[in-house]
């Protein structure tokens, strides 16, 4: 599924137009678009079937809370199933300046992380204006992947990095697949709340099943002990007068 987002920003509201196109080779079912606005999520209607190459479109409207936000980052999720009702989801996002765009104050970076089936996802934050910053970071993941904690408070020093670290675990994602995640970095400044978004990727590995060899070894070990016990018992029976 490919998602494109455009926005119209007014003094008191935002219109967010989201178009999700089925780029696969089979129909998608039960398609639903979700926008995670600061005041709560909004959800599109349910598109029962989306054929190959077809597009589902929805316009969200968000009433902005006055001049409280200078920039807002809005994560977007697309939920759908295949013909067997196996659930999938995708994550993207958009940043919008409300009024005069704030100057760049923070820089964020991520790296691809492997999940087997779990892993730690770090987000590195550094100061871009020579000032310390106190921020809150939340990581939005596909429904197939869980994330802990829900958010993290980070102190970003003047030099060096502040790190927001999250524990991810694959529950229903397909092995050998790459999934996108999207983080929202929020700073409450004297001029208003400033949010920025940063994308990242996680790769789902085939389960290594480290306990399989242990189970096989245990099985053979138990068989050996039973055989030894049988031999000892037979030897004792042979020595009886």
């Amino acid at each position: 599924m490919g998602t494109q987002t455009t926005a119209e920003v007014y003094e008191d509201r935002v219109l967010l137009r989201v178009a999700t196109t089925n780029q696969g080779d089979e129909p998608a079912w039960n398609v639903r678009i979700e926008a995670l606005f600061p005041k709560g999520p909004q959800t599109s209607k349910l598109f029962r079937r989306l054929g190959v190459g077809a597009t589902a479109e929805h316009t969200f409207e968000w009433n902005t809370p006055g001049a409280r936000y200078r920039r807002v980052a809005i994560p977007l999720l697309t939920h759908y199933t295949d013909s067997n009702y196996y659930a999938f989801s995708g994550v993207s996002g958009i940043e919008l300046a409300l009024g005069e765009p704030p100057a760049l104050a923070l820089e964020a970076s991520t790296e691809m992380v492997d999940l087997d089936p779990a892993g730690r996802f770090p987000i590195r934050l550094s100061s871009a204006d020579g000032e310390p910053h106190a921020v809150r970071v939340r990581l939005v993941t596909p429904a197939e992947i869980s994330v802990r904690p829900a958010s993290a408070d980070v102190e970003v020093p003047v030099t060096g990095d502040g790190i927001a670290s999250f524990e991810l675990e694959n529950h229903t994602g397909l092995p050998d697949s790459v999934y996108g995640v999207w983080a929202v970095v929020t700073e409450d400044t004297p001029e208003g709340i400033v949010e920025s978004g940063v994308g990242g990727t996680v790769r789902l590995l085939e389960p290594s099943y480290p306990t399989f060899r242990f189970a096989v070894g245990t099985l053979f070990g138990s068989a050996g002990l039973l055989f030894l016990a049988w031999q000892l018992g037979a030897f004792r029976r042979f020595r009886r007068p």
Side-chain angles (χ1 to χ4, degrees):
M1 303 289 284
T3 300
Q4 293 184 336
T5 307
T6 59
E8 295 179 14
V9 180
Y10 301 96
E11 289 186 359
D12 60 346
R13 64 194 176 106
V14 169
L15 295 180
L16 201 65
R17 295 185 173 89
V18 184
T20 297
T21 302
N22 181 4
Q23 299 176 340
D25 56 4
E26 62 180 42
W29 299 83
N30 305 309
V31 178
R32 180 170 51 87
I33 306 169
E34 186 178 13
L36 305 183
F37 290 100
K39 296 177 65 176
Q42 294 185 28
T43 305
S44 73
K45 70 175 185 180
L46 188 69
F47 298 86
R48 175 63 178 165
R49 182 183 185 277
L50 197 64
V52 175
T55 298
E57 297 181 353
H58 186 81
T59 298
F60 297 96
E61 182 174 352
W62 178 54
N63 295 321
T64 60
R68 186 181 177 201
Y69 282 85
R70 298 187 64 198
R71 186 172 63 212
V72 62
I74 305 171
L76 299 163
L77 292 95
T78 302
H79 307 274
Y80 61 100
T81 69
D82 62 12
S83 57
N84 296 316
Y85 294 97
Y86 192 93
F88 296 90
S89 59
V91 176
S92 60
I94 187 172
E95 288 184 21
L96 302 174
L98 307 181
E100 184 69 21
L104 178 65
L106 289 165
E107 293 180 343
S109 63
T110 65
E111 297 179 357
M112 180 180 286
V113 169
D114 292 335
L115 303 186
D116 181 26
R120 184 177 293 274
F121 189 91
I123 301 171
R124 298 184 178 276
L125 303 163
S126 60
S127 174
D129 61 359
E131 298 290 338
H133 297 272
V135 301
R136 172 162 291 185
V137 184
R138 64 188 177 106
L139 185 64
V140 179
T141 62
E144 297 94 316
I145 300 172
S146 68
V147 56
R148 297 191 310 269
S151 63
D153 293 322
V154 182
E155 297 291 334
V156 182
V158 174
T159 60
D161 294 333
I163 299 178
S165 186
F166 298 89
E167 290 288 341
L168 304 185
E169 184 174 1
N170 175 29
H171 289 298
T172 59
L174 297 177
D176 292 329
S177 298
V178 174
Y179 286 76
V181 298
W182 212 69
V184 176
V185 181
T186 303
E187 183 178 18
D188 196 346
T189 73
E191 294 78 23
I193 296 175
V194 178
E195 292 188 338
S196 58
V198 56
T201 53
V202 296
R203 181 171 50 197
L204 309 186
L205 303 182
E206 284 281 358
S208 55
Y209 298 115
T211 59
F212 177 76
R213 293 180 180 178
F214 177 78
V216 172
T218 301
L219 178 63
F220 279 101
S222 300
L225 290 174
L226 289 173
F227 180 73
L228 179 61
W230 178 83
Q231 282 188 318
L232 290 174
F235 181 73
R236 292 191 183 97
R237 288 194 300 272
F238 180 77
R239 295 186 57 182
R240 285 179 182 174

